[in-house]
Amino acid sequence: MNIVMLVFERITVLDVIGPYEVLARLPGAQVKMVGPERGVVRSDNGAVGLAADLAIGEVSSADILLVPGGFGTRLLEKDERVKAWIRDVDATTRVTASVCTGALLLAAAGVLRGRRANTHWALRERLRELGAVPEASRVVRDGKYASAAGVSAGIDLALALAAELASPEVAQAIQLGIEYDPAPPFDAGSPERAPAAIREAVLGRIRARDAELGAG
Amino acid sequence: MNIVMLVFERITVLDVIGPYEVLARLPGAQVKMVGPERGVVRSDNGAVGLAADLAIGEVSSADILLVPGGFGTRLLEKDERVKAWIRDVDATTRVTASVCTGALLLAAAGVLRGRRANTHWALRERLRELGAVPEASRVVRDGKYASAAGVSAGIDLALALAAELASPEVAQAIQLGIEYDPAPPFDAGSPERAPAAIREAVLGRIRARDAELGAG
């Protein structure tokens, strides 16, 4: 199983590493980290460097294509070469998946037209502007498309894919292997249950940063 | 706040990226990825390359030291230079933390002697052999030491540290920012609740791999 994960400048690293840690454990999985160019890409704050071992020009198909998020997707939405590559690889996949704002890039590339999808809660309405149908579920499936909510939701998405592509037993073994028995110290992970003042502050910061990059 | 994360060959990448995605969002946080040498280290399966931007010889102190796990910790347990560095940096920290088998490396370095700690469930008894006191909690605190259970538990550990080092409000804002509202599709993330056959299979694989590296 050929699993291709797109990596790029200003990536949110957990978006790609959560699913990687699950999907790489599937029997027969071969995971490739693929960037616009070969080389190390940097997280938004610069603190993490992640190797793109292949460039998009070297990869033309995938069983699973995963597009993670991060503020960098705002910039890639304007990159015709990357969007054409997404369309070409998507035409070969069994599953095309996104985490967080990766869905906005998939939508900008045109592959989610009329499809139900999710993204980070703070930017969900942008999915509609880009032709998709936003749905506020942690993991959304529509045909071969699978999209997760923000950042950490990629782990849940990947476990659901593991169950579907291998078996529920394989998915459970992977879950136990990564001891995914989450126990957040607060119940503040969703905009519905976080305190309103915290929600507004986070929303403001994310939208301001997104608008800044969109105008850039 | 100077946050140092040790990275090394055969690292479990989620062990370090889970906490990174939380702690990097703390006000004033400066995260550094530090390896035995500068350069790109590889995950156990080779599919992920992570940049060590500094070598341990260039870093002598930290407010928070985080040691992630992976089979590579088995090899570092024999590395006197890395263990001496851990002891030296630990002497300067406000918090010394581990995820998964990172605790085994901390214990091998001698900084967890007589301390309560946790690691991956499959290797918990090795903590005792290395002089620590194993405790089967998702996040264990003993004085300035904080240790998480396997792999994904680093996210919960980091949120607890965020609440302590900044405030509960800051931790909640971070949790909402990474939309950490987990919804695993199965209840198989702990050895107590996973089906017995799956538990034995995972246990066998992990112990065999660990023993192989320990003998190597």
Side-chain angles (χ1 to χ4, degrees):
Chain A
M1 186 156 4
N2 179 22
I3 304 173
V4 170
M5 299 188 170
L6 181 66
V7 299
F8 45 82
E9 293 294 330
R10 303 193 186 186
I11 190 172
T12 299
V13 191
L14 184 54
D15 287 18
V16 65
I17 294 304
Y20 154 77
E21 211 62 79
V22 171
L23 298 176
R25 287 169 164 80
L26 283 173
Q30 294 286 334
V31 180
K32 294 175 192 152
M33 297 288 167
V34 179
E37 312 296 339
R38 282 194 188 203
V40 169
V41 299
R42 289 271 156 192
S43 58
D44 199 51
N45 61 12
V48 175
L50 198 59
D53 293 313
L54 292 170
I56 58 176
E58 301 174 273
V59 175
S60 57
S61 67
D63 295 311
I64 302 177
L65 170 65
L66 184 120
V67 177
F71 288 111
T73 59
R74 232 334 177 169
L75 306 172
L76 292 184
E77 281 178 31
K78 302 166 194 163
D79 187 322
E80 297 303 330
R81 187 171 148 263
V82 167
K83 288 191 289 182
W85 178 82
I86 287 172
R87 284 191 295 274
D88 290 348
V89 174
D90 173 63
T92 74
T93 62
R94 195 164 152 194
V95 173
T96 296
S98 64
V99 178
C100 199
T101 61
L104 300 176
L105 179 53
L106 287 181
V111 305
L112 293 181
R113 198 154 295 141
R115 298 270 183 189
R116 289 176 295 105
N118 200 5
T119 184
H120 192 287
W121 61 269
L123 297 168
R124 203 176 285 140
E125 281 309 306
R126 289 208 60 235
L127 270 177
R128 198 184 309 276
E129 296 164 20
L130 293 165
V133 181
E135 179 178 312
S137 303
R138 190 143 178 93
V139 177
V140 175
R141 290 305 304 269
D142 186 344
K144 76 170 187 178
Y145 297 93
S147 55
V151 193
S152 61
I155 301 173
D156 297 323
L157 170 136
L159 284 169
L161 290 180
E164 177 185 317
L165 297 170
S167 70
E169 290 72 25
V170 165
Q172 288 172 302
I174 293 171
Q175 185 182 356
L176 184 58
I178 65 167
E179 207 163 344
Y180 185 49
D181 184 29
F186 304 99
D187 185 17
S190 86
E192 290 75 25
R193 294 198 309 286
I198 288 175
R199 183 178 65 242
E200 294 310 309
V202 172
L203 188 62
R205 280 202 295 273
I206 291 175
R207 288 198 176 154
R209 186 95 177 86
D210 181 65
E212 182 192 321
L213 288 165
Chain B
M1 185 155 7
N2 178 22
I3 303 173
V4 171
M5 300 189 170
L6 182 65
V7 298
F8 45 83
E9 293 295 329
R10 303 194 187 188
I11 190 173
T12 299
V13 191
L14 184 54
D15 287 20
V16 65
I17 294 304
Y20 153 77
E21 211 61 78
V22 171
L23 297 176
R25 287 169 163 79
L26 283 173
Q30 293 287 332
V31 179
K32 293 175 195 154
M33 297 287 166
V34 179
E37 313 296 340
R38 282 192 188 204
V40 170
V41 300
R42 288 272 155 191
S43 58
D44 199 52
N45 61 11
V48 175
L50 198 59
D53 292 313
L54 293 169
I56 58 176
E58 301 174 273
V59 175
S60 57
S61 67
D63 295 311
I64 302 177
L65 170 65
L66 183 120
V67 178
F71 288 110
T73 59
R74 236 326 181 172
L75 306 171
L76 292 184
E77 282 179 30
K78 303 164 192 162
D79 188 322
E80 297 304 328
R81 186 170 148 265
V82 167
K83 288 192 289 182
W85 177 81
I86 287 173
R87 285 189 295 273
D88 290 348
V89 174
D90 173 63
T92 74
T93 62
R94 194 163 153 195
V95 172
T96 296
S98 62
V99 178
C100 199
T101 62
L104 300 175
L105 179 53
L106 287 181
V111 306
L112 293 182
R113 199 155 292 144
R115 297 270 183 189
R116 289 176 297 103
N118 200 6
T119 183
H120 193 286
W121 61 270
L123 297 167
R124 205 177 283 138
E125 280 310 305
R126 290 207 60 234
L127 271 177
R128 197 184 309 277
E129 296 164 20
L130 292 165
V133 181
E135 180 178 311
S137 303
R138 191 146 177 92
V139 177
V140 175
R141 290 304 305 267
D142 186 344
K144 77 171 187 178
Y145 297 93
S147 54
V151 192
S152 61
I155 301 172
D156 297 323
L157 171 136
L159 285 170
L161 290 180
E164 178 185 318
L165 298 170
S167 70
E169 290 71 27
V170 165
Q172 289 172 303
I174 293 171
Q175 184 182 356
L176 184 58
I178 65 167
E179 207 163 344
Y180 185 49
D181 183 28
F186 304 99
D187 186 17
S190 86
E192 291 76 25
R193 294 197 310 286
I198 287 173
R199 183 178 66 242
E200 293 311 309
V202 173
L203 189 61
R205 280 201 296 272
I206 291 175
R207 287 199 176 153
R209 186 93 177 88
D210 181 66
E212 182 193 318
L213 288 166

